[in-house]
Amino acid sequence: MIKWLNQGKWERPHDKMAVYTEILPGQKWGIRVTLLGAEARVEAVDGPKCTWYKVPRRLRAEVKPPTIWERIKGITFDEKLRREVEAKRAVAREENARLGHRWSGG
């Protein structure tokens, strides 16, 4: 697994897949990283059981191995994955903040 993804929980639904879910205590939104072979899907999710159909781009990203041009520039799969994880963590923080405002006013 990926050592820097260590604030959540890893699962192995089957041999060719690993799923990491990170939802911080007291929060509804978090992230899910699904590793499928050499690729990954990174999503902002609204709970551990969340499943999306026709996911908006803001909530999901597909991370593919670096192209030859990216490799020439020194970009690694790990860097691409980190960038997307941080972007989806930001989305989760925004959504949690939005929910906090709604709940505190009502």
Side-chain angles (χ1 to χ4, degrees):
M1 309 296 174
I2 299 169
K3 292 181 188 205
W4 54 266
L5 288 175
N6 58 8
Q7 297 175 5
K9 178 182 172 187
W10 280 100
E11 298 176 53
R12 293 287 306 232
H14 55 76
D15 290 348
K16 296 182 182 183
M17 176 190 280
V19 179
Y20 171 79
T21 305
E22 176 184 294
I23 300 174
L24 300 178
Q27 304 295 305
K28 180 177 181 183
W29 282 79
I31 64 164
R32 178 171 47 225
V33 178
T34 305
L35 301 176
L36 300 160
E39 299 181 1
R41 182 182 317 123
V42 183
E43 303 167 287
V45 294
D46 67 344
K49 303 285 186 196
C50 175
T51 58
W52 295 111
Y53 178 71
K54 294 188 178 182
V55 183
R57 293 282 307 151
R58 178 175 175 267
L59 300 179
R60 66 138 173 96
E62 301 293 328
V63 181
K64 300 195 180 293
T67 64
I68 190 160
W69 301 114
E70 289 171 327
R71 286 193 308 258
I72 289 170
K73 293 178 185 177
I75 298 171
T76 65
F77 179 79
D78 189 68
E79 288 176 85
K80 291 175 72 171
L81 184 60
R82 280 180 191 261
R83 186 173 36 237
E84 291 302 337
V85 164
E86 288 307 316
K88 298 312 170 234
R89 281 178 175 159
V91 171
R93 282 191 300 272
E94 290 170 15
E95 291 298 324
N96 283 317
R98 198 169 59 83
L99 288 174
H101 289 298
R102 184 183 314 149
W103 288 343
S104 65

